[in-house]
Amino acid sequence: MDRVRAALDDWGQLREIEMFGGVVFEWDGDPLVGVVDGELIVRVPSGWETAAGDLDELIRRAADVVIAECVVRWHAQLRAGGDDAPRAMLALAHHDPEREQLQRILLDHIGHPRLGQLAMTCLGHVARIDGEVLPEVLPRLEELGVVAEDARDEVERCVNPFRLWVPGTPWVIFAPPGDAEVARQRALLRSAGTEGDRVVVIENAEALPSLLPFVRKLCDEGYEHSDAPHFVLEFDGDIGALESQLHDDEYSARFDPPYLMVW
Protein backbone atom coordinates (compact mmCIF):
# COMPACT_ATOMS: atom_id res chain seq x y z
CA MET A 1 0.00 0.00 0.00
CA ASP A 2 2.80 2.44 0.90
CA ARG A 3 4.51 1.75 -2.44
CA VAL A 4 1.32 2.59 -4.31
CA ARG A 5 0.83 5.79 -2.31
CA ALA A 6 4.42 6.82 -3.05
CA ALA A 7 4.03 6.09 -6.77
CA LEU A 8 0.88 8.25 -6.85
CA ASP A 9 2.46 11.09 -4.93
CA ASP A 10 2.72 13.37 -8.01
CA TRP A 11 -0.86 12.80 -9.12
CA GLY A 12 -2.32 15.70 -7.19
CA GLN A 13 -5.58 15.23 -5.35
CA LEU A 14 -6.40 11.55 -5.02
CA ARG A 15 -9.08 10.04 -2.84
CA GLU A 16 -8.90 6.67 -1.13
CA ILE A 17 -12.17 4.76 -0.95
CA GLU A 18 -13.15 1.33 0.27
CA MET A 19 -14.00 -0.92 -2.66
CA PHE A 20 -13.77 -4.64 -3.51
CA GLY A 21 -12.87 -5.36 0.11
CA GLY A 22 -9.73 -3.24 -0.16
CA VAL A 23 -8.64 0.34 -0.94
CA VAL A 24 -9.06 2.00 -4.33
CA PHE A 25 -7.48 5.29 -5.35
CA GLU A 26 -9.73 7.69 -7.27
CA TRP A 27 -8.42 10.40 -9.58
CA ASP A 28 -10.94 13.11 -10.51
CA GLY A 29 -13.68 10.84 -9.22
CA ASP A 30 -12.61 7.87 -11.36
CA PRO A 31 -11.13 4.71 -9.82
CA LEU A 32 -7.54 4.29 -11.01
CA VAL A 33 -5.73 1.58 -9.07
CA GLY A 34 -6.29 -0.30 -5.83
CA VAL A 35 -4.90 -2.78 -3.37
CA VAL A 36 -7.09 -5.76 -2.49
CA ASP A 37 -5.85 -8.66 -0.34
CA GLY A 38 -2.30 -7.39 -0.76
CA GLU A 39 -2.48 -7.47 -4.56
CA LEU A 40 -2.44 -4.54 -6.96
CA ILE A 41 -5.50 -4.10 -9.17
CA VAL A 42 -5.50 -1.64 -12.07
CA ARG A 43 -8.01 -0.24 -14.51
CA VAL A 44 -8.07 -1.77 -18.01
CA PRO A 45 -10.51 -1.11 -20.90
CA SER A 46 -12.64 -4.08 -19.89
CA GLY A 47 -12.75 -3.14 -16.19
CA TRP A 48 -10.16 -4.31 -13.66
CA GLU A 49 -7.34 -6.83 -13.50
CA THR A 50 -4.75 -7.98 -11.01
CA ALA A 51 -1.31 -6.84 -12.11
CA ALA A 52 2.35 -7.28 -11.23
CA GLY A 53 5.49 -5.68 -12.59
CA ASP A 54 6.82 -2.15 -12.87
CA LEU A 55 4.48 -0.10 -10.68
CA ASP A 56 4.97 3.21 -12.49
CA GLU A 57 4.29 1.61 -15.87
CA LEU A 58 1.17 -0.16 -14.58
CA ILE A 59 -0.16 3.10 -13.17
CA ARG A 60 0.58 4.90 -16.44
CA ARG A 61 -1.40 2.31 -18.42
CA ALA A 62 -4.29 2.53 -15.98
CA ALA A 63 -4.20 6.32 -16.25
CA ASP A 64 -4.45 6.11 -20.04
CA VAL A 65 -7.68 4.14 -19.64
CA VAL A 66 -9.13 6.55 -17.09
CA ILE A 67 -8.13 9.70 -18.99
CA ALA A 68 -9.68 8.35 -22.20
CA GLU A 69 -12.97 7.90 -20.32
CA CYS A 70 -12.64 11.33 -18.72
CA VAL A 71 -12.06 13.02 -22.09
CA VAL A 72 -15.34 11.63 -23.39
CA ARG A 73 -17.15 12.90 -20.29
CA TRP A 74 -15.47 16.32 -20.40
CA HIS A 75 -16.47 16.84 -24.03
CA ALA A 76 -20.07 15.99 -23.15
CA GLN A 77 -19.99 18.45 -20.24
CA LEU A 78 -18.53 21.17 -22.44
CA ARG A 79 -21.19 20.63 -25.11
CA ALA A 80 -23.92 20.76 -22.46
CA GLY A 81 -22.61 24.15 -21.29
CA GLY A 82 -23.67 23.65 -17.68
CA ASP A 83 -21.87 24.36 -14.44
CA ASP A 84 -19.30 21.65 -15.22
CA ALA A 85 -18.31 23.22 -18.55
CA PRO A 86 -15.48 25.51 -17.32
CA ARG A 87 -13.77 22.72 -15.41
CA ALA A 88 -14.22 20.38 -18.38
CA MET A 89 -12.62 22.90 -20.74
CA LEU A 90 -9.59 23.31 -18.48
CA ALA A 91 -9.23 19.54 -18.14
CA LEU A 92 -9.38 19.07 -21.92
CA ALA A 93 -6.69 21.70 -22.42
CA HIS A 94 -4.36 19.55 -20.34
CA HIS A 95 -5.41 16.02 -21.26
CA ASP A 96 -7.25 15.79 -24.60
CA PRO A 97 -4.94 13.84 -26.96
CA GLU A 98 -6.64 15.29 -30.09
CA ARG A 99 -4.85 18.61 -29.89
CA GLU A 100 -5.87 20.09 -33.25
CA GLN A 101 -9.53 19.24 -32.72
CA LEU A 102 -9.33 20.72 -29.22
CA GLN A 103 -7.93 24.01 -30.53
CA ARG A 104 -10.75 24.32 -33.05
CA ILE A 105 -13.27 23.73 -30.29
CA LEU A 106 -11.62 26.42 -28.18
CA LEU A 107 -11.63 28.83 -31.13
CA ASP A 108 -15.35 28.14 -31.60
CA HIS A 109 -15.93 29.05 -27.93
CA ILE A 110 -14.11 32.40 -28.06
CA GLY A 111 -17.38 34.21 -28.69
CA HIS A 112 -19.24 32.36 -25.94
CA PRO A 113 -20.63 34.84 -23.38
CA ARG A 114 -19.58 32.75 -20.38
CA LEU A 115 -16.72 30.60 -21.65
CA GLY A 116 -15.06 32.90 -24.18
CA GLN A 117 -12.37 34.30 -21.89
CA LEU A 118 -11.56 30.85 -20.54
CA ALA A 119 -11.28 29.51 -24.10
CA MET A 120 -8.60 32.13 -24.82
CA THR A 121 -6.77 31.20 -21.61
CA CYS A 122 -6.92 27.52 -22.57
CA LEU A 123 -5.37 28.29 -25.96
CA GLY A 124 -2.47 29.77 -24.01
CA HIS A 125 -2.29 26.59 -21.93
CA VAL A 126 -2.19 24.49 -25.12
CA ALA A 127 0.68 26.59 -26.46
CA ARG A 128 2.59 26.23 -23.19
CA ILE A 129 2.05 22.46 -22.99
CA ASP A 130 2.60 21.61 -26.66
CA GLY A 131 4.94 24.35 -27.81
CA GLU A 132 2.83 24.81 -30.93
CA VAL A 133 -0.65 25.84 -32.04
CA LEU A 134 -2.65 25.82 -35.25
CA PRO A 135 -1.69 28.61 -37.68
CA GLU A 136 -5.07 30.32 -37.23
CA VAL A 137 -4.83 30.66 -33.44
CA LEU A 138 -2.52 33.66 -33.17
CA PRO A 139 -4.22 35.75 -35.91
CA ARG A 140 -7.60 35.10 -34.25
CA LEU A 141 -6.30 36.27 -30.88
CA GLU A 142 -4.74 39.33 -32.49
CA GLU A 143 -8.10 40.23 -34.06
CA LEU A 144 -9.66 40.35 -30.61
CA GLY A 145 -7.32 43.08 -29.38
CA VAL A 146 -6.87 43.90 -25.72
CA VAL A 147 -9.44 41.36 -24.49
CA ALA A 148 -7.16 38.55 -25.68
CA GLU A 149 -3.86 40.21 -24.81
CA ASP A 150 -2.81 37.79 -22.06
CA ALA A 151 -3.60 34.71 -24.13
CA ARG A 152 -1.90 36.18 -27.19
CA ASP A 153 1.25 36.94 -25.19
CA GLU A 154 1.26 33.40 -23.78
CA VAL A 155 0.96 31.87 -27.25
CA GLU A 156 3.66 34.14 -28.68
CA ARG A 157 6.03 33.23 -25.87
CA CYS A 158 5.47 29.51 -26.08
CA VAL A 159 5.60 29.07 -29.84
CA ASN A 160 8.55 31.42 -30.33
CA PRO A 161 10.71 29.86 -33.04
CA PHE A 162 13.82 29.82 -30.85
CA ARG A 163 13.69 26.92 -28.43
CA LEU A 164 16.42 28.45 -26.22
CA TRP A 165 14.34 31.16 -24.69
CA VAL A 166 14.38 33.34 -21.61
CA PRO A 167 11.32 35.62 -21.48
CA GLY A 168 11.96 39.34 -21.46
CA THR A 169 15.75 39.02 -21.45
CA PRO A 170 18.24 40.15 -24.10
CA TRP A 171 20.64 37.34 -24.87
CA VAL A 172 23.13 35.76 -27.21
CA ILE A 173 23.30 32.30 -28.78
CA PHE A 174 26.46 30.41 -29.62
CA ALA A 175 25.86 27.86 -32.36
CA PRO A 176 27.99 25.69 -34.66
CA PRO A 177 28.79 27.28 -38.03
CA GLY A 178 26.10 26.64 -40.63
CA ASP A 179 23.71 25.10 -38.09
CA ALA A 180 20.53 23.97 -39.84
CA GLU A 181 18.24 24.73 -36.88
CA VAL A 182 19.51 28.30 -36.60
CA ALA A 183 18.92 28.73 -40.35
CA ARG A 184 15.38 27.38 -39.99
CA GLN A 185 14.60 29.62 -37.06
CA ARG A 186 16.04 32.67 -38.81
CA ALA A 187 13.79 31.90 -41.78
CA LEU A 188 10.79 31.87 -39.43
CA LEU A 189 11.81 35.22 -38.00
CA ARG A 190 12.26 36.66 -41.50
CA SER A 191 8.79 35.45 -42.48
CA ALA A 192 7.40 37.26 -39.43
CA GLY A 193 9.27 40.42 -40.38
CA THR A 194 11.27 40.57 -37.15
CA GLU A 195 14.75 39.34 -37.96
CA GLY A 196 16.11 42.69 -39.01
CA ASP A 197 15.21 44.23 -35.66
CA ARG A 198 16.03 41.36 -33.35
CA VAL A 199 18.76 39.13 -34.72
CA VAL A 200 22.28 39.77 -35.93
CA VAL A 201 24.34 36.79 -37.05
CA ILE A 202 28.09 37.09 -36.56
CA GLU A 203 29.95 34.35 -38.37
CA ASN A 204 33.26 32.82 -37.36
CA ALA A 205 33.60 34.47 -33.95
CA GLU A 206 37.21 35.04 -32.91
CA ALA A 207 39.17 33.21 -30.23
CA LEU A 208 37.79 33.14 -26.70
CA PRO A 209 40.02 35.80 -25.02
CA SER A 210 38.77 38.51 -27.35
CA LEU A 211 35.29 37.02 -27.61
CA LEU A 212 34.31 37.15 -23.93
CA PRO A 213 34.44 40.96 -23.55
CA PHE A 214 32.49 41.25 -26.78
CA VAL A 215 29.73 38.95 -25.51
CA ARG A 216 29.52 40.86 -22.26
CA LYS A 217 29.30 44.08 -24.24
CA LEU A 218 26.37 42.64 -26.21
CA CYS A 219 24.58 41.67 -23.00
CA ASP A 220 25.14 45.18 -21.60
CA GLU A 221 24.08 47.16 -24.65
CA GLY A 222 20.60 47.75 -23.27
CA TYR A 223 18.61 46.47 -26.21
CA GLU A 224 14.85 46.45 -25.80
CA HIS A 225 13.78 43.20 -24.16
CA SER A 226 12.23 40.65 -26.46
CA ASP A 227 11.66 36.93 -26.68
CA ALA A 228 14.15 36.24 -29.48
CA PRO A 229 17.95 36.35 -29.28
CA HIS A 230 19.65 39.53 -30.40
CA PHE A 231 22.81 37.87 -31.63
CA VAL A 232 23.71 34.45 -32.97
CA LEU A 233 27.47 33.78 -32.83
CA GLU A 234 28.67 30.97 -35.04
CA PHE A 235 31.55 29.60 -32.99
CA ASP A 236 33.84 27.00 -34.53
CA GLY A 237 35.10 25.43 -31.31
CA ASP A 238 34.11 23.70 -28.08
CA ILE A 239 30.89 25.57 -27.27
CA GLY A 240 30.30 23.59 -24.08
CA ALA A 241 33.64 24.75 -22.67
CA LEU A 242 32.45 28.35 -22.85
CA GLU A 243 29.74 27.91 -20.25
CA SER A 244 31.85 28.05 -17.10
CA GLN A 245 33.81 31.02 -18.42
CA LEU A 246 30.69 33.02 -19.21
CA HIS A 247 28.73 32.08 -16.07
CA ASP A 248 29.70 34.54 -13.35
CA ASP A 249 28.01 36.84 -10.87
CA GLU A 250 26.72 39.17 -13.58
CA TYR A 251 25.87 36.84 -16.42
CA SER A 252 24.05 33.57 -16.78
CA ALA A 253 24.90 30.87 -19.28
CA ARG A 254 23.18 27.62 -20.14
CA PHE A 255 24.46 24.86 -22.40
CA ASP A 256 21.73 23.05 -24.31
CA PRO A 257 23.77 21.04 -26.85
CA PRO A 258 24.74 22.09 -29.39
CA TYR A 259 23.76 25.62 -28.30
CA LEU A 260 24.94 27.91 -25.52
CA MET A 261 22.86 30.92 -24.50
CA VAL A 262 24.06 33.85 -22.46
CA TRP A 263 22.02 36.59 -20.81
Side-chain angles (χ1 to χ4, degrees):
M1 182 70 74
D2 290 340
R3 288 181 58 234
V4 174
R5 288 194 180 101
L8 293 170
D9 190 52
D10 294 332
W11 278 77
Q13 293 186 351
L14 289 168
R15 191 164 71 102
E16 297 184 22
I17 63 171
E18 293 185 3
M19 191 174 178
F20 306 134
V23 174
V24 168
F25 296 84
E26 282 189 345
W27 178 76
D28 196 41
D30 290 270
L32 177 65
V33 299
V35 178
V36 177
D37 295 330
E39 293 187 311
L40 178 69
I41 59 171
V42 297
R43 284 294 312 279
V44 295
S46 59
W48 292 88
E49 70 177 17
T50 302
D54 184 278
L55 184 56
D56 290 333
E57 177 64 16
L58 292 169
I59 291 174
R60 186 193 65 76
R61 292 179 185 174
D64 288 343
V65 174
V66 171
I67 288 174
E69 295 175 353
C70 288
V71 165
V72 172
R73 183 174 72 247
W74 293 330
H75 274 290
Q77 291 172 341
L78 184 56
R79 286 192 299 270
D83 293 341
D84 293 329
R87 185 172 180 272
M89 181 180 284
L90 279 168
L92 288 168
H94 287 86
H95 298 292
D96 191 345
E98 300 295 334
R99 308 304 281 173
E100 292 188 3
Q101 172 185 281
L102 168 65
Q103 291 173 66
R104 294 188 177 96
I105 291 172
L106 294 172
L107 287 169
D108 288 343
H109 277 80
I110 281 179
H112 192 282
R114 187 165 61 92
L115 298 173
Q117 195 66 48
L118 180 59
M120 299 177 211
T121 300
C122 286
L123 285 168
H125 292 337
V126 170
R128 173 175 49 79
I129 293 166
D130 299 346
E132 60 182 0
V133 292
L134 292 172
E136 58 264 36
V137 168
L138 195 52
R140 181 73 179 96
L141 294 174
E142 289 171 345
E143 288 174 5
L144 295 168
V146 67
V147 69
E149 185 174 3
D150 289 344
R152 185 192 65 229
D153 290 347
E154 179 83 352
V155 171
E156 286 180 336
R157 283 197 301 268
C158 296
V159 301
N160 189 283
F162 277 85
R163 68 180 178 88
L164 299 177
W165 169 72
V166 175
T169 307
W171 48 279
V172 178
I173 277 185
F174 286 88
D179 183 70
E181 181 64 11
V182 168
R184 184 188 71 82
Q185 294 173 358
R186 288 182 61 204
L188 288 172
L189 286 173
R190 280 196 299 272
S191 69
T194 59
E195 186 194 20
D197 296 330
R198 298 165 75 175
V199 177
V200 175
V201 176
I202 302 174
E203 298 180 354
N204 302 319
E206 296 298 328
L208 183 61
S210 60
L211 181 62
L212 289 179
F214 175 60
V215 172
R216 292 190 172 104
K217 182 176 183 294
L218 296 182
C219 289
D220 286 340
E221 290 265 334
Y223 292 94
E224 181 182 354
H225 287 188
S226 70
D227 296 337
H230 293 280
F231 297 92
V232 177
L233 304 185
E234 296 193 350
F235 182 67
D236 190 9
D238 185 355
I239 292 177
L242 296 176
E243 180 180 11
S244 61
Q245 300 180 63
L246 287 168
H247 195 143
D248 56 29
D249 291 339
E250 294 183 67
Y251 303 95
S252 297
R254 189 178 78 206
F255 185 42
D256 188 359
Y259 310 106
L260 173 69
M261 76 173 187
V262 185
W263 71 97

Short mmCIF file of all heavy atoms in Angstrom, two decimals, residues 154-183:
data_model
loop_
_atom_site.label_atom_id
_atom_site.label_comp_id
_atom_site.label_asym_id
_atom_site.label_seq_id
_atom_site.Cartn_x
_atom_site.Cartn_y
_atom_site.Cartn_z
N GLU A 154 0.88 34.76 -24.16
CA GLU A 154 1.26 33.40 -23.78
C GLU A 154 1.58 32.55 -25.01
O GLU A 154 2.56 31.82 -25.05
CB GLU A 154 0.14 32.76 -22.97
CG GLU A 154 0.41 31.34 -22.51
CD GLU A 154 1.23 31.26 -21.25
OE1 GLU A 154 1.73 32.30 -20.78
OE2 GLU A 154 1.39 30.15 -20.74
N VAL A 155 0.73 32.65 -26.03
CA VAL A 155 0.96 31.87 -27.25
C VAL A 155 2.24 32.32 -27.92
O VAL A 155 3.06 31.50 -28.34
CB VAL A 155 -0.24 32.02 -28.21
CG1 VAL A 155 0.09 31.40 -29.57
CG2 VAL A 155 -1.47 31.35 -27.61
N GLU A 156 2.45 33.63 -28.03
CA GLU A 156 3.66 34.14 -28.68
C GLU A 156 4.91 33.67 -27.96
O GLU A 156 5.91 33.30 -28.59
CB GLU A 156 3.62 35.66 -28.75
CG GLU A 156 2.66 36.21 -29.79
CD GLU A 156 2.66 37.72 -29.83
OE1 GLU A 156 3.01 38.34 -28.79
OE2 GLU A 156 2.29 38.28 -30.86
N ARG A 157 4.86 33.68 -26.62
CA ARG A 157 6.03 33.23 -25.87
C ARG A 157 6.32 31.75 -26.10
O ARG A 157 7.47 31.35 -26.29
CB ARG A 157 5.81 33.46 -24.37
CG ARG A 157 5.99 34.89 -23.92
CD ARG A 157 6.16 34.95 -22.41
NE ARG A 157 5.02 34.37 -21.70
CZ ARG A 157 3.98 35.07 -21.28
NH1 ARG A 157 3.89 36.35 -21.53
NH2 ARG A 157 3.00 34.48 -20.63
N CYS A 158 5.28 30.96 -26.09
CA CYS A 158 5.47 29.51 -26.08
C CYS A 158 5.72 28.91 -27.46
O CYS A 158 6.26 27.81 -27.56
CB CYS A 158 4.26 28.84 -25.44
SG CYS A 158 4.07 29.26 -23.70
N VAL A 159 5.34 29.60 -28.51
CA VAL A 159 5.60 29.07 -29.84
C VAL A 159 6.69 29.87 -30.55
O VAL A 159 6.86 29.76 -31.75
CB VAL A 159 4.33 29.05 -30.71
CG1 VAL A 159 3.25 28.21 -30.06
CG2 VAL A 159 3.81 30.46 -30.99
N ASN A 160 7.43 30.67 -29.77
CA ASN A 160 8.55 31.42 -30.33
C ASN A 160 9.46 30.46 -31.07
O ASN A 160 9.76 29.38 -30.58
CB ASN A 160 9.32 32.11 -29.19
CG ASN A 160 10.36 33.07 -29.71
OD1 ASN A 160 11.41 32.65 -30.16
ND2 ASN A 160 10.05 34.35 -29.65
N PRO A 161 9.93 30.81 -32.25
CA PRO A 161 10.71 29.86 -33.04
C PRO A 161 12.03 29.44 -32.42
O PRO A 161 12.56 28.41 -32.78
CB PRO A 161 10.95 30.61 -34.36
CG PRO A 161 10.73 32.04 -34.04
CD PRO A 161 9.69 32.06 -32.97
N PHE A 162 12.57 30.23 -31.49
CA PHE A 162 13.82 29.82 -30.85
C PHE A 162 13.51 29.00 -29.61
O PHE A 162 12.84 29.47 -28.69
CB PHE A 162 14.67 31.04 -30.49
CG PHE A 162 15.48 31.55 -31.63
CD1 PHE A 162 14.93 32.43 -32.53
CD2 PHE A 162 16.77 31.11 -31.83
CE1 PHE A 162 15.66 32.89 -33.60
CE2 PHE A 162 17.51 31.57 -32.90
CZ PHE A 162 16.95 32.46 -33.79
N ARG A 163 14.01 27.79 -29.57
CA ARG A 163 13.69 26.92 -28.43
C ARG A 163 14.52 27.26 -27.21
O ARG A 163 14.18 26.87 -26.10
CB ARG A 163 13.92 25.45 -28.82
CG ARG A 163 15.35 25.05 -29.05
CD ARG A 163 15.41 23.57 -29.42
NE ARG A 163 16.76 23.11 -29.70
CZ ARG A 163 17.59 22.65 -28.78
NH1 ARG A 163 17.23 22.63 -27.53
NH2 ARG A 163 18.79 22.23 -29.12
N LEU A 164 15.64 27.97 -27.36
CA LEU A 164 16.42 28.45 -26.22
C LEU A 164 15.91 29.84 -25.90
O LEU A 164 16.26 30.81 -26.55
CB LEU A 164 17.91 28.49 -26.57
CG LEU A 164 18.53 27.15 -26.93
CD1 LEU A 164 19.99 27.33 -27.32
CD2 LEU A 164 18.42 26.19 -25.78
N TRP A 165 15.10 29.94 -24.88
CA TRP A 165 14.34 31.16 -24.69
C TRP A 165 14.26 31.54 -23.23
O TRP A 165 13.95 30.72 -22.39
CB TRP A 165 12.94 30.93 -25.27
CG TRP A 165 11.96 31.98 -24.94
CD1 TRP A 165 11.90 33.24 -25.44
CD2 TRP A 165 10.87 31.86 -24.03
NE1 TRP A 165 10.85 33.92 -24.90
CE2 TRP A 165 10.20 33.10 -24.04
CE3 TRP A 165 10.39 30.84 -23.23
CZ2 TRP A 165 9.08 33.34 -23.26
CZ3 TRP A 165 9.28 31.08 -22.45
CH2 TRP A 165 8.64 32.31 -22.47
N VAL A 166 14.56 32.79 -22.95
CA VAL A 166 14.38 33.34 -21.61
C VAL A 166 13.48 34.56 -21.76
O VAL A 166 13.85 35.51 -22.44
CB VAL A 166 15.71 33.76 -20.97
CG1 VAL A 166 15.47 34.43 -19.63
CG2 VAL A 166 16.61 32.54 -20.80
N PRO A 167 12.26 34.54 -21.21
CA PRO A 167 11.32 35.62 -21.48
C PRO A 167 11.82 36.97 -20.99
O PRO A 167 12.33 37.10 -19.89
CB PRO A 167 10.06 35.19 -20.72
CG PRO A 167 10.53 34.22 -19.70
CD PRO A 167 11.72 33.53 -20.30
N GLY A 168 11.66 37.97 -21.84
CA GLY A 168 11.96 39.34 -21.46
C GLY A 168 13.42 39.62 -21.18
O GLY A 168 13.74 40.53 -20.43
N THR A 169 14.33 38.86 -21.73
CA THR A 169 15.75 39.02 -21.45
C THR A 169 16.55 39.10 -22.74
O THR A 169 16.45 38.21 -23.57
CB THR A 169 16.28 37.85 -20.61
OG1 THR A 169 15.47 37.69 -19.46
CG2 THR A 169 17.71 38.07 -20.19
N PRO A 170 17.36 40.13 -22.93
CA PRO A 170 18.24 40.15 -24.10
C PRO A 170 19.34 39.11 -23.94
O PRO A 170 19.92 38.97 -22.88
CB PRO A 170 18.81 41.57 -24.10
CG PRO A 170 18.72 42.00 -22.67
CD PRO A 170 17.53 41.31 -22.08
N TRP A 171 19.66 38.39 -25.00
CA TRP A 171 20.64 37.34 -24.87
C TRP A 171 21.30 37.00 -26.18
O TRP A 171 20.94 37.52 -27.23
CB TRP A 171 20.07 36.10 -24.20
CG TRP A 171 18.77 35.59 -24.71
CD1 TRP A 171 17.53 36.04 -24.40
CD2 TRP A 171 18.57 34.49 -25.59
NE1 TRP A 171 16.57 35.30 -25.02
CE2 TRP A 171 17.18 34.34 -25.76
CE3 TRP A 171 19.43 33.60 -26.25
CZ2 TRP A 171 16.62 33.37 -26.56
CZ3 TRP A 171 18.87 32.62 -27.03
CH2 TRP A 171 17.49 32.50 -27.19
N VAL A 172 22.27 36.12 -26.10
CA VAL A 172 23.13 35.76 -27.21
C VAL A 172 23.16 34.24 -27.33
O VAL A 172 23.18 33.55 -26.32
CB VAL A 172 24.57 36.28 -26.97
CG1 VAL A 172 25.50 35.86 -28.09
CG2 VAL A 172 24.56 37.79 -26.79
N ILE A 173 23.16 33.74 -28.55
CA ILE A 173 23.30 32.30 -28.78
C ILE A 173 24.64 32.02 -29.42
O ILE A 173 25.04 32.70 -30.36
CB ILE A 173 22.19 31.78 -29.72
CG1 ILE A 173 20.91 31.50 -28.94
CG2 ILE A 173 22.60 30.48 -30.39
CD1 ILE A 173 19.83 30.86 -29.77
N PHE A 174 25.34 31.01 -28.91
CA PHE A 174 26.46 30.41 -29.62
C PHE A 174 25.94 29.17 -30.34
O PHE A 174 25.23 28.36 -29.75
CB PHE A 174 27.57 29.98 -28.65
CG PHE A 174 28.37 31.12 -28.08
CD1 PHE A 174 27.95 31.76 -26.93
CD2 PHE A 174 29.52 31.54 -28.71
CE1 PHE A 174 28.68 32.80 -26.40
CE2 PHE A 174 30.27 32.58 -28.19
CZ PHE A 174 29.85 33.23 -27.03
N ALA A 175 26.31 29.02 -31.59
CA ALA A 175 25.86 27.86 -32.36
C ALA A 175 26.99 27.42 -33.30
O ALA A 175 27.85 28.22 -33.67
CB ALA A 175 24.62 28.21 -33.18
N PRO A 176 26.98 26.15 -33.70
CA PRO A 176 27.99 25.69 -34.66
C PRO A 176 27.83 26.42 -35.99
O PRO A 176 26.70 26.79 -36.36
CB PRO A 176 27.69 24.19 -34.81
CG PRO A 176 26.86 23.83 -33.63
CD PRO A 176 26.09 25.06 -33.27
N PRO A 177 28.90 26.62 -36.72
CA PRO A 177 28.79 27.28 -38.03
C PRO A 177 27.85 26.52 -38.96
O PRO A 177 27.86 25.29 -39.02
CB PRO A 177 30.23 27.25 -38.57
CG PRO A 177 31.09 27.13 -37.35
CD PRO A 177 30.30 26.30 -36.38
N GLY A 178 26.99 27.26 -39.65
CA GLY A 178 26.10 26.64 -40.63
C GLY A 178 25.03 25.76 -40.02
O GLY A 178 24.49 24.89 -40.71
N ASP A 179 24.68 25.97 -38.75
CA ASP A 179 23.71 25.10 -38.09
C ASP A 179 22.35 25.18 -38.77
O ASP A 179 21.80 26.27 -38.99
CB ASP A 179 23.59 25.52 -36.62
CG ASP A 179 22.65 24.62 -35.84
OD1 ASP A 179 23.01 23.46 -35.61
OD2 ASP A 179 21.55 25.09 -35.49
N ALA A 180 21.78 24.01 -39.09
CA ALA A 180 20.53 23.97 -39.84
C ALA A 180 19.36 24.50 -39.02
O ALA A 180 18.46 25.16 -39.56
CB ALA A 180 20.24 22.53 -40.29
N GLU A 181 19.35 24.25 -37.71
CA GLU A 181 18.24 24.73 -36.88
C GLU A 181 18.25 26.24 -36.76
O GLU A 181 17.20 26.89 -36.82
CB GLU A 181 18.32 24.09 -35.49
CG GLU A 181 17.20 24.50 -34.54
CD GLU A 181 15.82 24.05 -35.00
OE1 GLU A 181 15.72 23.23 -35.94
OE2 GLU A 181 14.83 24.54 -34.42
N VAL A 182 19.43 26.84 -36.63
CA VAL A 182 19.51 28.30 -36.60
C VAL A 182 19.01 28.87 -37.92
O VAL A 182 18.27 29.85 -37.95
CB VAL A 182 20.96 28.75 -36.32
CG1 VAL A 182 21.11 30.25 -36.57
CG2 VAL A 182 21.34 28.44 -34.89
N ALA A 183 19.39 28.25 -39.04
CA ALA A 183 18.92 28.73 -40.35
C ALA A 183 17.40 28.64 -40.45
O ALA A 183 16.74 29.55 -40.96
CB ALA A 183 19.59 27.91 -41.46
#
